[in-house]
Amino acid sequence: MRRLLGLVPVLLAAATLVWLFVFCLPGDPARLIAGGRVADPDVLSAIQKEWGLDRPAPLQYLTYLGKLLRLDLGTSYIQKRSVASIIAETFPATFILAIAAVLLATVFGLGLGSIAALNRGRLLDTLVLVLALLGMSIPVFWLGLMLMLVFAARLSWLPVLGYGMEGMVIPLTSIRLPEWDHLVLPAVTLSLVSMGAIARITRASLVEAGTADFLRTARAKGAGAARVFARHALQNALIPVVTVVGLNFASLLGGAVATEYVFAWPGLGKTIVRAIGLRDLPVVEGCSLFLTAVFVLASLGIDLLYLVLDPRIHYSSTA
């Protein structure tokens, strides 16, 4: 509970920064919210009333915080609908893409890192490290274009763009899943960057854990090599790996902008780019706050996962 309450100042600081950028910039805030174009006087009047722009700045700030407490992120006067509905419509696609990318990155990153650690100093170790470095260094948009050129344009194994139109709808929701062949290229593109980092962290953690006394104790008790590796070495090496996976997942939820744009993926990143192009300020502001909250909650989830992976870790109530 203490750590949950500790998130409040972070979210409040993020909301305050957004408010300062939007409402303290030179010019008419109502016109900025309306898209910076020649807006109808009735629309400008409605915006001023909605955001309390005809009142002193402190009251405007309190009005803004009050709207956020009611989960009211405002209205897009360009798209003629609420920002919350835009996020609700586009975030599931981003979430699905991030889940697929993180799963791929985690499975293959752990595998490659383990192979490298078990073959430390050999050719296979060097090969994995070089591949990991390449994966972390290649720009995402360039990698996406190359994969698209090879597997979609040349080999015709996978579709070039889009989400697919015949995916299954999740029962009791309006969320439609993507067709699997449309998901492959964006997920692989996103996963390669994270995979390199996870492989390197896994290797380093396993190499460090390999010299620990508890491994010699386990071997002395007669535990087999596979059990020593899986039950003792790998489990103790997972803490830094979980940190990298969690931070990558949080980043992918809001940082898949280039990949979504390259593959025409109908997610939140593509929505933000479009909103910036249209000068749709309420959407940019609302998405920024939403992604901040997602990142903060993901960090909290990582902290809680530590408790599951290592019972020796506990958070003191006086910390």
Side-chain angles (χ1 to χ4, degrees):
M1 179 58 74
R2 181 181 291 272
R3 296 189 69 79
L4 192 61
L5 292 176
L7 302 181
V8 175
V10 178
L11 295 175
L12 181 62
T16 303
L17 282 175
V18 170
W19 181 81
L20 288 172
F21 277 119
V22 174
F23 294 97
C24 293
L25 288 176
D28 184 359
R31 198 171 295 279
L32 287 173
I33 293 174
R37 301 172 181 174
V38 178
D40 186 285
D42 292 337
V43 173
L44 294 178
S45 176
I47 293 173
Q48 287 182 341
K49 183 177 179 182
E50 177 184 354
W51 293 93
L53 299 178
D54 52 351
R55 293 187 287 177
L59 292 180
Q60 292 181 29
Y61 178 63
L62 292 177
T63 302
Y64 168 76
L65 291 183
K67 287 168 68 67
L68 293 184
L69 287 175
R70 298 192 301 273
L71 302 180
D72 181 359
L73 297 175
T75 303
S76 167
Y77 291 90
I78 294 178
Q79 302 186 44
K80 310 292 185 188
R81 55 181 177 152
S82 70
V83 175
S85 68
I86 294 172
I87 293 174
E89 179 182 305
T90 56
F91 183 67
T94 296
F95 185 77
I96 292 169
L97 179 58
I99 287 284
V102 165
L103 284 177
L104 282 174
T106 304
V107 171
F108 288 98
L110 280 173
L112 290 172
S114 300
I115 291 172
L118 292 172
N119 295 275
R120 184 185 179 191
R122 300 175 184 169
L123 177 61
L124 199 54
D125 181 22
T126 305
L127 183 62
V128 170
L129 289 177
V130 170
L131 289 176
L133 184 61
L134 284 176
M136 295 168 61
S137 307
I138 295 175
V140 172
F141 66 92
W142 182 86
L143 179 62
L145 290 174
M146 292 301 104
L147 291 177
M148 192 186 295
L149 177 65
V150 175
F151 293 101
R154 293 288 177 84
L155 300 176
S156 300
W157 289 353
L158 296 166
V160 180
L161 301 171
Y163 193 79
M165 300 297 293
E166 298 179 356
M168 184 186 75
V169 176
I170 297 177
L172 305 178
T173 71
S174 59
I175 300 173
R176 184 167 57 84
L177 298 176
E179 294 182 39
W180 72 268
D181 52 349
H182 285 262
L183 178 62
V184 172
L185 286 182
V188 169
T189 302
L190 275 180
S191 69
L192 287 178
V193 177
S194 302
M195 194 185 302
I198 293 171
R200 290 178 67 87
I201 292 292
T202 302
R203 178 192 177 277
S205 300
L206 284 173
V207 168
E208 183 180 353
T211 60
D213 292 337
F214 62 85
L215 292 186
R216 285 193 289 273
T217 304
R219 292 190 190 99
K221 288 182 176 179
R227 180 176 173 79
V228 170
F229 175 78
R231 182 69 179 84
H232 299 282
L234 187 59
Q235 184 172 349
N236 280 277
L238 279 181
I239 294 293
V241 176
V242 166
T243 305
V244 173
V245 171
L247 292 178
N248 279 334
F249 178 60
S251 300
L252 290 179
L253 290 176
V257 176
T259 304
E260 289 186 2
Y261 205 77
V262 167
F263 290 98
W265 192 262
L268 200 58
K270 186 166 177 281
T271 299
I272 293 174
V273 173
R274 181 169 177 265
I276 293 173
L278 293 172
R279 302 181 70 178
D280 196 348
L281 198 58
V283 174
V284 177
E285 172 203 333
C287 290
S288 302
L289 289 173
F290 177 76
L291 292 176
T292 302
V294 168
F295 196 93
V296 169
L297 290 175
S299 301
L300 176 64
I302 296 170
D303 288 346
L304 297 178
L305 195 55
Y306 289 161
L307 302 177
V308 177
L309 291 174
D310 191 345
R312 295 170 299 179
I313 297 176
H314 58 88
Y315 299 112
S316 170
S317 60
T318 58

